[in-house]
Amino acid sequence: MADAKKKDPNLKRIIYIPHDSRPISDQQTADVAKRLGYEVLVPPKKLLGNRQDLGHPDELWKWLRENAKDVDAAIVSSDSMIYGSLVGSRKHTYSSKELLQRADELKKFHDKNPKVQLYVFGSIMRTPRSGVDSGHEEPEYYRSYGSDIFRYTVLQDKREMEGLTRREEKEAAFLEKLIPQSALKDWMGRRERNFSVNQRLIDMARASFCRYLLLGKDDNAPYSRTHMESRHLLEYAKGLRESQFQTMDGIDEVGMLLLTRAVNDIRQNVPTVFVRYNWGRGPNTVPAYSDEKISQSINSAVLAAGAAQAASPEKADLVLAVNTNPNGRTYAANEFFNDGSPREGTKYFADIVADYVAKGYPVALADVAFGNGADNALMEELKTRGLLFKLNAYAGWNTPVNSTGFVIGAGILTKYMADSDVDALLLTRYLDDWAYQANVRSVMARQLTWLRGDGVYGSLDEKKQSVQRRTAQLLTRFVADNLPPFEELKELRVDFPWNRMFEADIQRGRGGWEKSLLKLRSGEWE
């Protein structure tokens, strides 16, 4: 690493402040830039928010100021710096005055550190479809009235866009009476304060206090309060160029995109991406948790990463292969038919990937046929054909746009990496998105009742240690059946940092990694 820094003057020092402490938001994103040789400074976990701890914005500001010396770029979450965290943005009780004062600290930071290129990402507050979908990350009343609040905002948005029928007007009036006024006032009031903050951030982008501002639409729908606010913010931002400001679907991937943009700016590089979809609806797919076609989300992500689209794979720095279902639907990874059996479009898409790899193109694979986990049929094809570690990047986690955005950013940056680093990043995703999310998680969820103590899927509590041990055992078994026998995979450790099974922090052992990968790349494992 030291030799690399001496040889390459482009290797720089970057601050990255994620919007919470989840592995994918925090260390897994930072790890991509670290593998380029960059020094990436991330705040201590105790300052980052989670489900129970909404975060520590004032302490984060102190940390940022203290660490800004000799930094080339800072990628910061406005949710963390203003509310404490992403969850904090949905539950906080701060006044408009407090929030706007914190937002103004970004201008002060820019004025005191003019040489630091500042990239800011934040969220347009989400509108979960139900209390169950909220995952305990909204105020408690959302558990009871979430579906009603969501439907109420659908009607509000539709009223503005195209008008309501008489029946829909009656429904809106009924919902307004049904939902407790205290709950509706609290939820709408917080949204209004957050909307004002986003307007202030747009003002700063207009005044060039930050190099780039990206606002993500989290858990969105074609009609919703999130969609409505996004439209209004775009109107407010009229005149700003796409090189200054964007809104896009998703939120958990935007840190990765801005980290990639910062690296591209440092290197004064505009990489190109060629996008290829599976047959069928392909680019016209409107994936789950989104309000737009997947092609629009990918276009936005490519721009956010500081890249451009290529007209052909021959002219591209990266080929993005997007695994959509031919019928345009997004299924859940825990559906019974995600069992590894080939489905319509599976072999066709695997042929596409194989062809691009055979021609020597760098390929990133966005696996979005299922939400919250990999497509087991596709992964079986990749394994059988020896393609798993001939890709440049892979993602199949959480929402489809989370996957497409993350893999675009990571895939672009692999151009500057050694093969061992590329494959280490691939292994992280295979363990998480394929092994855990699409397979082990469902098995472990069914086995929860076998374990002593209190605890459920969303709050493990007394069962946490037992679930950690059992999950590690199941992962080890999956690895033995599906991945090469790397030395470091013999020792897997699992933690559930948010005390729930939705995400896992999978740690692997050390030793023999680079030698194993040399064998792998040479085809010895095929």
Side-chain angles (χ1 to χ4, degrees):
M1 190 70 73
D3 290 341
K5 288 187 178 181
K6 288 178 184 176
K7 292 176 184 177
D8 189 347
N10 289 318
L11 297 180
K12 301 290 184 178
R13 203 162 177 253
I14 297 174
I15 281 176
Y16 171 60
I17 301 180
H19 53 219
D20 57 39
S21 64
R22 283 172 296 167
I24 190 69
S25 309
D26 185 7
Q27 72 262 26
Q28 289 181 10
T29 295
D31 188 41
V32 179
K34 286 179 181 178
R35 289 185 179 276
L36 296 172
Y38 286 67
E39 184 179 1
V40 183
L41 306 177
V42 183
K45 282 200 188 308
K46 64 182 181 181
L47 298 186
L48 300 174
N50 53 50
R51 276 204 304 171
Q52 286 76 37
D53 181 353
L54 299 186
H56 309 271
D58 296 331
E59 289 89 340
L60 279 174
W61 275 113
K62 181 181 178 184
W63 181 91
L64 175 60
R65 297 184 194 105
E66 289 175 348
N67 287 275
K69 185 180 179 182
D70 299 326
V71 165
D72 297 280
I75 298 94
V76 302
S77 161
S78 61
D79 291 325
S80 287
M81 306 310 291
I82 296 172
Y83 314 106
S85 64
L86 182 60
V87 176
S89 73
R90 305 164 185 162
K91 289 185 170 184
H92 70 85
T93 56
Y94 297 120
S95 67
S96 289
K97 182 179 178 180
E98 289 175 291
L99 297 176
L100 294 174
Q101 282 177 341
R102 287 204 191 111
D104 289 340
E105 289 296 322
L106 287 166
K107 175 184 180 300
K108 294 178 184 178
F109 177 82
H110 170 270
D111 290 342
K112 289 183 179 179
N113 303 276
K115 293 184 179 180
V116 177
Q117 298 298 322
L118 182 61
Y119 302 80
V120 179
F121 65 98
S123 65
I124 301 172
M125 189 174 160
R126 70 177 186 169
T127 315
R129 292 177 178 269
S130 69
V132 173
D133 290 329
S134 72
H136 296 280
E137 294 175 23
E138 303 289 333
E140 190 59 34
Y141 55 74
Y142 211 89
R143 298 290 295 177
S144 301
Y145 295 98
S147 298
D148 300 318
I149 292 173
F150 173 78
R151 178 60 182 168
Y152 179 66
T153 73
V154 165
L155 296 172
Q156 283 186 317
D157 193 16
K158 188 178 180 185
R159 180 187 285 129
E160 278 194 8
M161 293 198 58
E162 59 185 73
L164 299 180
T165 64
R166 288 181 60 187
R167 183 175 181 176
E168 287 171 332
E169 287 286 4
K170 289 182 178 180
E171 183 184 4
F174 172 76
L175 288 170
E176 199 164 336
K177 292 180 180 178
L178 174 69
I179 302 166
Q181 287 304 299
S182 59
L184 201 56
K185 181 180 179 181
D186 176 78
W187 199 72
M188 291 297 188
R190 189 174 296 103
R191 297 201 73 104
E192 289 168 6
R193 296 195 295 276
N194 291 11
F195 184 85
S196 296
V197 166
N198 284 335
Q199 286 182 314
R200 184 66 60 88
L201 295 176
I202 291 171
D203 292 339
M204 291 180 189
R206 199 186 303 276
S208 300
F209 294 133
C210 63
R211 181 154 184 167
Y212 194 77
L213 171 65
L214 181 58
L215 295 179
K217 296 179 281 182
D218 191 18
D219 284 7
N220 198 16
Y223 289 114
S224 66
R225 183 72 178 199
T226 307
H227 180 257
M228 177 194 289
E229 290 173 4
S230 174
R231 290 189 293 104
H232 292 175
L233 287 169
L234 284 173
E235 182 67 26
Y236 186 80
K238 191 169 288 184
L240 278 174
R241 301 184 304 276
E242 286 182 328
S243 59
Q244 296 173 285
F245 166 70
Q246 248 191 275
T247 66
M248 60 177 287
D249 278 10
I251 184 63
D252 290 337
E253 76 281 11
V254 297
M256 181 71 256
L257 289 169
L258 287 197
L259 199 57
T260 304
R261 187 182 189 92
V263 171
N264 285 328
D265 287 346
I266 288 169
R267 292 178 175 270
Q268 298 183 334
N269 183 43
V270 180
T272 53
V273 180
F274 175 76
V275 186
R276 175 68 185 272
Y277 298 88
N278 200 356
W279 76 275
R281 290 193 59 80
N284 296 313
T285 297
V286 178
Y289 310 101
S290 179
D291 68 351
E292 65 184 16
K293 297 175 182 177
I294 191 68
S295 57
Q296 293 175 262
S297 298
I298 287 174
N299 292 346
S300 297
V302 170
L303 285 171
Q309 291 207 37
S312 67
E314 296 86 359
K315 297 180 180 179
D317 294 297
L318 182 73
V319 171
L320 176 68
V322 187
N323 179 35
T324 49
N325 285 307
N327 63 7
R329 295 186 61 185
T330 303
Y331 302 104
N334 61 356
E335 295 274 8
F336 71 91
F337 52 83
N338 188 21
D339 60 359
S341 302
R343 303 184 324 282
E344 188 178 30
T346 301
K347 292 185 181 296
Y348 177 86
F349 185 75
D351 287 342
I352 291 173
V353 174
D355 182 58
Y356 284 137
V357 169
K359 290 177 178 176
Y361 299 133
V363 178
L365 200 161
D367 191 0
V368 299
F370 293 89
N372 298 313
D375 179 347
N376 281 315
L378 174 63
M379 300 309 288
E380 187 64 32
E381 284 287 335
L382 297 180
K383 181 183 74 172
T384 301
R385 300 180 189 213
L387 294 171
L388 287 174
F389 289 91
K390 291 183 180 176
L391 301 175
N392 275 55
Y394 170 88
W397 58 277
N398 220 344
T399 71
V401 296
N402 289 159
S403 290
T404 54
F406 191 91
V407 82
I408 286 168
I412 287 170
L413 295 186
T414 57
K415 177 180 179 180
Y416 312 116
M417 293 182 196
D419 283 348
S420 59
D421 290 309
V422 173
D423 291 329
L425 294 174
L426 283 169
L427 187 58
T428 296
R429 299 267 54 84
Y430 293 154
L431 286 172
D432 196 330
D433 309 358
W434 182 23
Y436 179 71
Q437 293 193 40
N439 292 279
V440 170
R441 179 168 57 181
S442 296
V443 175
M444 192 64 248
R446 292 193 296 271
Q447 294 182 3
L448 270 176
T449 55
W450 301 358
L451 305 175
R452 288 192 178 94
D454 293 329
V456 294
Y457 180 94
S459 187
L460 293 172
D461 300 334
E462 294 175 5
K463 295 184 178 182
K464 184 176 178 181
Q465 289 189 353
S466 297
V467 174
Q468 289 171 339
R469 288 193 296 270
R470 179 60 177 156
T471 299
Q473 292 170 352
L474 292 171
L475 284 171
T476 300
R477 187 181 303 168
F478 182 94
V479 164
D481 292 338
N482 294 284
L483 291 172
F486 298 142
E487 186 70 24
E488 66 170 333
L489 294 182
K490 293 180 180 178
E491 184 185 341
L492 294 177
R493 300 177 305 282
V494 182
D495 187 22
F496 297 97
W498 279 31
N499 191 39
R500 65 183 185 182
M501 287 188 62
F502 186 73
E503 63 275 297
D505 184 9
I506 304 167
Q507 298 294 323
R508 47 195 195 256
R510 300 180 183 276
W513 176 240
E514 287 80 4
K515 291 181 181 179
S516 294
L517 286 170
L518 287 174
K519 293 180 181 179
L520 180 71
R521 286 277 170 175
S522 68
E524 191 169 321
W525 294 120
E526 295 176 20

